[in-house]
């Protein structure tokens, strides 16, 4: 049977192509991804995204979703898939905690001059934030500006930390002042999957703006 289209799936740093034929389900596509990864992944470990949304129905026919929706005979559909086993998540979480402890040791090893410079930078940063907050407070708040909700990648370690970072950005006085000035409303501030190595990979996206601010995705994790 001739394929009605091609799926180009970004998965764990690789680009994989699969034909779209009747009966190409989400489940069967996940099984192909597991085989390509050569890791002890389960179906529950993998999520498939299309245009920023998870295709959650395991039995959904991708042929019906993509091929029939286009009048063209041949179509290329770009998807993104994430997959990390519980063992990998535990190992990455351990590495993250070790990195945090190492960073604390580095800060403790600072000289008196280095500590004084850091303190000065913090004071300047707090002063700028206070000024931005004061300017924003003096204006009438715009009900049409700000962020609607925050989304993180639940299948990656340190989700609470990721949410904390995004919340800090979403409530930053300077950011809110800028949004209020232009009356901008961002529907969702979301975490972007850390695909590609910074400075090495041909494609390494640090952020995305979907549908003119409907969703802003930011990469907040390193590639390791």
């Amino acid at each position: 049977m001739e394929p009605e289209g091609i799926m180009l799936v970004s998965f764990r740093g690789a680009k994989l192509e699969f034909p779209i034929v009747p009966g190409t389900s989400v489940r069967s596509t996940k099984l192909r991804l597991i085989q390509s990864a050569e890791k002890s992944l389960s179906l529950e470990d993998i999520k498939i995204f299309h245009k920023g949304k998870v295709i959650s129905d395991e039995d959904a026919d991708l042929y019906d979703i993509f091929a029939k929706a286009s009048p063209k005979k041949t179509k290329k559909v770009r998807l993104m898939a994430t997959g990390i086993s519980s063992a990998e998540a535990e190992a990455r979480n351990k590495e993250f905690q070790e990195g945090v402890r190492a960073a604390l040791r580095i800060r403790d090893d600072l000289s008196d001059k280095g500590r004084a410079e850091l303190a000065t930078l913090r004071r300047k940063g707090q002063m700028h934030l206070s000024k931005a907050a004061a300017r924003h407070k003096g204006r009438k708040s715009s009900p049409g500006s700000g962020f609607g909700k925050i989304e993180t990648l639940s299948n990656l370690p340190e989700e609470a930390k990721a949410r904390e970072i995004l919340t800090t950005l979403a409530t930053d006085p300077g950011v809110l002042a800028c949004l209020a000035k232009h009356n901008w409303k961002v529907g969702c501030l979301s975490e972007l999957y850390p695909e590609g190595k910074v400075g090495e990979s041909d494609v390494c996206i640090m952020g995305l703006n979907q549908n003119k601010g409907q969703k802003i995705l930011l990469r907040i994790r390193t590639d390791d």
Side-chain angles (χ1 to χ4, degrees), residues 7-12 14-18 25-43 45-49 62 79-83:
M7 288 186 294
L8 182 60
V9 187
S10 299
F11 181 60
R12 296 175 68 97
K15 302 288 187 182
L16 306 172
E17 287 192 3
F18 303 126
S25 67
V26 173
R27 186 187 304 276
S28 64
T29 303
K30 285 186 176 182
L31 289 173
R32 287 187 173 187
L33 294 174
I34 291 174
Q35 293 173 354
S36 71
E38 297 182 352
K39 297 287 184 179
S40 56
L41 296 169
S42 66
L43 292 174
D45 294 329
I46 297 179
K47 291 184 179 181
I48 298 178
F49 297 83
L62 298 178
L79 303 174
M80 178 180 289
T82 62

